[in-house]
Amino acid sequence: MLVSIKWLKEYVNTQELDPAELGEKITRSGIEVDAVIDRSHGMTNVVVGYVESCEKHKEADKLSICQVNVGEDGIEQIICGAPNIAAGQKVIVARPGAKLPGGVKIKKAKLRGEVSNGMICSLQELGIEGKLVPKAYAEGIYVLPENAEIGSDVVTNFDLDDTVLELGLTPNRADAMSMLGVAYEVGAILSEEVKLPEATYTEAADTAASMLTLNIDAPEANPLYVAKVIRNIEVKESPMWLQQRLMAAGVRPHNNVVDVTNFVLMEYGQPLHAFDYDSLKTGNITVRHAKQDELITTLDDAERKLSPHHLVITNGEEPVALAGVMGGANSEVSDSTTTIVIESAYFASGSIRQTSKDHGLRSDASSRYEKGVDPNRVIPAAERAASLIAELAGGEVLAGSIIFDELEREEKIVKVSPDFINTRLGMKIPFEDMLEILERLKFKTEAANNQLIISVPTRRQDIQIEEDVVEEIARLYGYDEIPATLPQTEARPGGLTPYQAKRRMVRHFLEGAGLLQATTYSLTSEKSAKQFALTETDTTRLLMPMSEERSILRQSLLPHLLDSVTHNTARRIDSVALYETGAVFLKTEDELLNEEEHLAIAMTGLWLDNSWQGEKKPVDFFVLKGIVEGLGEKLGVELSFERGQMDDLHPGRTAFIIHDGQRIGVIGQLHPTEQKERDLKTTVVLELNLAELLNLAADPLLYTPVPRYPSITRDVALVLSKIVEAGTIEKVIRGAGGKLLKDVRVFDLYEGDKMEAGKKSVAFTLTYFDPEKTLTDEEVVAVHDKVLKALTEVGAELRS
Amino acid sequence: MEAQLQALKTEALEKIASAANVKELNDVRVAYLGKKGPITDLLKGMGKLPAEERPKMGALVNVVREEVTTSLEERMVILEEEAINLKLQSETIDITLPGRPVRTGNPHPLTRVIEEIEDLFVSMGYEIAEGPEVEKDYYNFEALNLPKGHPARDMQDSFYITEDILLRTHTSPVQARTMEAKGGEPIKIICPGKVYRRDNDDATHSHQFTQIEGLVIGEDIRMSDLKGTLSVFAKKMFGDDREIRLRPSFFPFTEPSVEMDISCFKCGGSGCNVCKKTGWIEILGAGMVHPNVLEMAGYDSKRLTGFAFGMGPERIAMLKYGVEDIRHFYTNDVRFLSQFQRTEV
Ligand SMILES: [Zn+2]
């Protein structure tokens, strides 16, 4: 909502406050002033000129040489490039030395050999947005009314010495979508009275009813309709003051009739519409629901197909307006119109919202109807419009109005006790101060039995319950006056749930391991929604995605995390180690999805990079496996790995992570094809159902006595077939080693040319230990021999 | 023989003095004091002397032997020190070369902000509540006093999956769910999480972002309690000398509703580019829980009241760290992420 302060002053005394100060007061009381706009933009030296003569420039046919009377200084020659310049016009002249918006300075100039002492201006050059300039002047200079005084200052004479407050209205403050509403608000803030506009005209002897009949076939959607008929009008350009008011409010001037309806809309917040009486043809207005597939061409020249939940104004036969949203082209007021019907109506907000939404049409009218207009302004607005049109278009207002009225418009009564107000606020506002604030708001209030009985004016439909009154009192008393206290609640320890605490632990562990935490989007494309997913379910698609790229809910974190890796490597950051935790979304039988918290890791480039000491180690499967193993230990969860396959992972370098027989994750190297696709070098990845891990309760932590006896180690080097996995051999060793075998560890792997084809050498360190005593050589030999025998039995060759 | 002894001594002392290193000195030791050395020889030759001269000569030989030994030991200390110094010198390293890097990662800046806020409220007795990101229309809107067709639904254009299921547009549904689950009991929670709105991504908008909301319900919770709580929060997050101010606002789920500004932490209130010359920065929205919201969740709004607040970690991180584009939080550029490593205290 754009509020011209000059216009506002017609209804309320703003106490000569500086616009910025007034804006600050309005903001602090509840309506945010987003911007304070100076309409003059600091303009100087811009005056009314009279074009005495106008000739084509000989050197340039688009330029005109004008002799312009600028008042005291007499006639000045000014070159003008506008197509609509002509002798006999009153025009806006920026004199040499003038400052225009945007820092433009006017100097004497020569244009193709001809002197130009200033510039004849368009409204755009005075800082008015092109879309607000009347169509007749949109492509050229603006022509002032004939009675403009030559040499007088344009800024002060045509209301450009004004400031506009741009209000950012919250949906509850529909009342402030009108100048009167803002006047009431300012009046409440400044303790000033509001002066209502006047509507006076002389009625013709004939009655409106003699020319127009009215049928309302949809009284629920249209409980109040007022029509006035005005005849013998002259449709023409509006006076300057009206054009300026509208442009200040962000509305483009058209002609005196349309401009008056828009002016009253802005003034009262009540949408009005003017029909050309003759185009109606039938002398009838019928309001009804549209028929299925009925058509209307609206004022924006769009043909619209209707359905029964749209409300239309008809001439008894065909639609002439989309009720409350936009008029029809077939009944538009034109220059030749002589008789008009003014409509002022109350349309139910739901119906208008539906119509506006279905047709993607939002107008100044529909946005007010959607939020609910003041039922008590419907009739006064019609009267005000009739009076202004009679004044500006010279018409004759027919006697009376044609009215259908079934609208309930009682004032809402809200009862609230001063104690309630003070308890809610934690304050002690005196009773008299509350009464004073309600008086400023113009809420009629009775005080009885320690109760405030408040009649809320119909313009304030946001005030419904006691709490609403609490807010009104508090905001006008001042939020700064509220003390700062802390809740007096039962003292209970707050804290993290074990799940939340462990999630943080995982975060710290991974960061300690050198990984950066990333965050990616949950919405993804069909293509990547299921890549690396741990569970097979259908995808979940948005009803109205904004793009194909963000249309499906992800089922794994890795695809986007890998996109982030590529983002970095594309910028020559070769070593990247990222992790992310977040929900993936899996379809279930339920209405809602199964949101599973996952952990994903993606690593590429060097793991160890100590360049000047010559130590460089690229990431590989085992770097990542080590991190997962460490994580398992940290969480006290036993994890194992099982060779597996997954699309887009290297078939020989992929493993599932197993807990308690369940696959809870996958770890692997990207398939070379996938790496190429993503423009990545060797990249290892993890996708893990983190929730599954975090939901497990860890065992109590009990200390194991520190060993009192030494342990004994034996190394065993084995020649194995290449396809035999170290893990299999480890199981054999553990099986044979029994209780005394405390640990088995791989310490060497050799697959080089010194080995026979298809063979490899794996060396293990075995640790023997007895917590009860020092092991003797014989005891160790006895058990170690058993191990060696078992190894030989499975085909392992002892290497000398 | 005495003269011979003196000459031997002089010769030995000279050789000790001229020994250049430990090895040469050891050679001198062996040469003069060894079992086959001249001093031993002299002692052996004592038997040939007359008996009365023997004690005198014995003493004299011992003195010479002492002197040579002492000199040798002194020289040895010096030469050993020289040897060590030489070794140390040869072992000197270029300490300006870089240290072996310790690989450390760090949290995402939004996690950093969210956990700081979580920790503050946990210390004040709050619990952390979480809920689904794909939510029922009922919890996201209706239970929060936003029935179907409510004009304020325009404010949050949402991603629907079906007529009744959508990506939550705020974390408030967690509050609605918690209230329903608590069955009329007092509540003190904060709810962090991801939320989604139909916005085109640009420098200040993101279709996915995070939110933290807080909810306190109890007997006689007052608006002054909200103000006090927010004041504690502002001082902890933005510095002890931060002032707060409340401005009336509107949210369908609170009444009265407020927006909270803090005095600008950059200029202290005199006006700068961070606060757009106003001295104040808008940080969060809050209010007293609307009685309809309480009643819908089964609370007696006459007996229990509450306040709620909500803020955007992106906005806080952008203000705190001077980040100019919200998309940085979702691009995961390592050069951006790795800046949020060090402590601020
Ligand atoms: Zn500042």
Side-chain angles (χ1 to χ4, degrees), chain A residues 24 27-30 32 170-172 353 362 370-371 423-426 465-468 470-471 475 479-489 492-497 500 503-504 507-508 511-523 540-546 550 553-554 564 567-568 571 573 576-583 585 591-593 595 603 606-610 612-613 615, chain B residues 97-101 103-108 111 115 118-119 122 125-136 149-152 154-155 159-165 167 177 182 186 188 194 196 198-201 206-208 216 220-229 232 245-250 255-259 282 288 290-291 301-302 305 307 327 329-335 337-338:
Chain A
E24 177 67 10
T27 294
R28 296 303 310 279
S29 314
E32 195 162 352
T170 49
N172 60 324
R353 187 174 314 116
R362 280 197 105 222
E370 279 181 27
K371 300 200 164 87
T423 310
R424 280 300 146 90
L425 294 172
I465 55 172
E466 291 160 284
E467 282 78 2
D468 295 325
V470 172
E471 180 169 66
R475 73 185 182 93
Y479 277 7
D480 287 348
E481 306 303 318
I482 299 174
T485 57
L486 286 174
Q488 305 298 305
T489 52
R492 271 184 312 152
L496 276 59
T497 61
Q500 291 161 347
R503 178 164 53 201
R504 285 197 185 187
R507 198 167 77 47
H508 294 148
E511 285 153 19
L515 297 156
L516 281 170
Q517 189 187 26
T519 307
T520 64
Y521 295 134
S522 305
L523 287 171
T540 308
R541 191 179 175 83
L542 299 180
L543 281 182
M544 281 165 36
M546 295 180 76
R550 312 249 174 276
L553 280 161
R554 64 179 174 190
S564 294
H567 167 93
N568 283 289
R571 283 157 186 78
I573 301 156
V576 183
L578 298 177
Y579 83 92
E580 178 176 14
T581 58
F585 302 85
E591 243 187 318
L592 290 178
L593 303 178
E595 292 182 29
M603 300 168 85
L606 293 176
W607 175 239
L608 178 66
D609 182 11
N610 190 16
W612 69 269
Q613 287 178 306
E615 298 164 322
Chain B
L97 283 166
R100 182 184 289 272
R103 263 192 93 104
T104 49
N106 55 262
H108 191 279
T111 306
E115 284 193 5
E118 283 177 354
D119 290 346
V122 162
Y126 289 65
E127 285 170 355
I128 301 172
E130 295 172 277
E133 291 170 31
V134 174
E135 193 43 285
K136 293 184 180 174
H150 189 285
D154 283 356
M155 285 162 71
F159 288 118
Y160 276 88
I161 290 164
T162 68
E163 285 271 296
D164 288 312
I165 306 290
L167 297 189
R177 282 173 176 274
K182 287 269 182 172
K188 221 172 156 184
K194 289 176 188 148
Y196 306 84
R198 277 180 65 90
D199 266 327
N200 282 308
D201 296 341
S206 181
H207 74 278
Q208 174 180 326
V216 175
D220 288 333
I221 297 292
R222 305 155 295 179
M223 196 145 158
S224 58
D225 297 331
L226 170 62
K227 193 173 182 181
T229 302
V232 170
R245 73 172 192 186
L246 302 181
R247 278 183 294 111
S249 187
F250 170 76
E255 186 69 40
S257 302
V258 299
E259 305 238 25
E282 189 177 317
M288 302 304 290
H290 197 289
S301 69
K302 292 277 170 274
T305 52
F307 65 72
R327 288 169 293 197
F329 295 115
Y330 296 94
T331 312
N332 301 309
D333 193 304
V334 166
R335 296 164 297 181
L337 292 179
S338 59

Side-chain angles (χ1 to χ4, degrees), chain A residues 216 221-227 269-273 287 311 313 323-324 342-348 369 373-375 377-379 381-382 404 407:
Chain A
I216 305 296
N222 179 202
L224 171 57
Y225 196 102
V226 183
Q270 169 61 41
L272 300 176
H273 187 65
V287 184
L311 195 65
I313 316 294
I342 300 283
E343 164 200 290
S344 183
Y346 186 98
F347 298 117
Y369 277 127
V373 297
D374 179 355
R377 283 193 192 153
V378 179
I379 295 168
F404 173 86
L407 180 60

Side-chain angles (χ1 to χ4, degrees), chain A residues 358-416:
Chain A
D358 288 354
H359 296 286
L361 248 186
R362 280 197 105 222
S363 58
D364 283 328
S366 72
S367 62
R368 283 168 177 78
Y369 277 127
E370 279 181 27
K371 300 200 164 87
V373 297
D374 179 355
N376 279 313
R377 283 193 192 153
V378 179
I379 295 168
E383 296 301 335
R384 170 74 168 158
S387 133
L388 282 170
I389 288 170
E391 181 189 331
L392 303 177
E396 215 186 337
V397 182
L398 297 195
S401 306
I402 301 122
I403 297 190
F404 173 86
D405 189 356
E406 286 186 359
L407 180 60
E408 182 70 50
R409 41 186 184 276
E410 291 285 293
E411 293 193 332
K412 169 109 188 163
I413 305 293
V414 179
K415 293 181 191 165
V416 56

Side-chain angles (χ1 to χ4, degrees), chain A residues 3 7 20 43 64 99 103 154 182 184 247 252 268 342 350 369 371 406 416 469 547 669 721 729 758 762 792 798:
Chain A
V3 177
W7 190 358
M43 258 184 290
S64 305
K99 270 192 270 174
V154 165
V182 175
Y184 275 110
M247 287 190 279
R252 176 182 230 168
Y268 281 83
I342 300 283
Y369 277 127
K371 300 200 164 87
E406 286 186 359
V416 56
V469 176
S547 71
Q669 183 181 322
S721 163
I729 299 301
V762 185
T792 328
L798 286 178

Side-chain angles (χ1 to χ4, degrees), chain A residues 672-690:
Chain A
T673 320
E674 179 69 11
Q675 273 174 195
K676 204 170 161 209
E677 180 107 333
R678 292 182 170 273
D679 215 0
L680 289 170
K681 302 219 170 84
T682 300
T683 303
V684 292
V685 297
L686 160 81
E687 176 92 27
L688 177 72
N689 180 347
L690 184 64

Side-chain angles (χ1 to χ4, degrees), chain A residues 1 116 123 129 148 204-205 207 222 226 241 271 298 332 394 409 413 454 457 474 495 581 606 623 658 715 723 751 761:
Chain A
M1 175 78 189
S116 184
L123 287 182
E129 266 187 277
T207 62
N222 179 202
V226 183
W241 68 264
T298 40
E332 186 177 3
R409 41 186 184 276
I413 305 293
I454 301 165
T581 58
L606 293 176
V623 168
I658 311 291
D715 290 346
I723 55 162
E751 297 177 296
S761 157

Side-chain angles (χ1 to χ4, degrees), chain B residues 264-277 279-281:
Chain B
C264 180
F265 49 79
K266 190 171 174 206
C267 65
S270 55
C272 70
N273 60 335
V274 170
C275 58
K276 298 193 187 99
K277 309 257 184 278
W280 295 93
I281 299 173

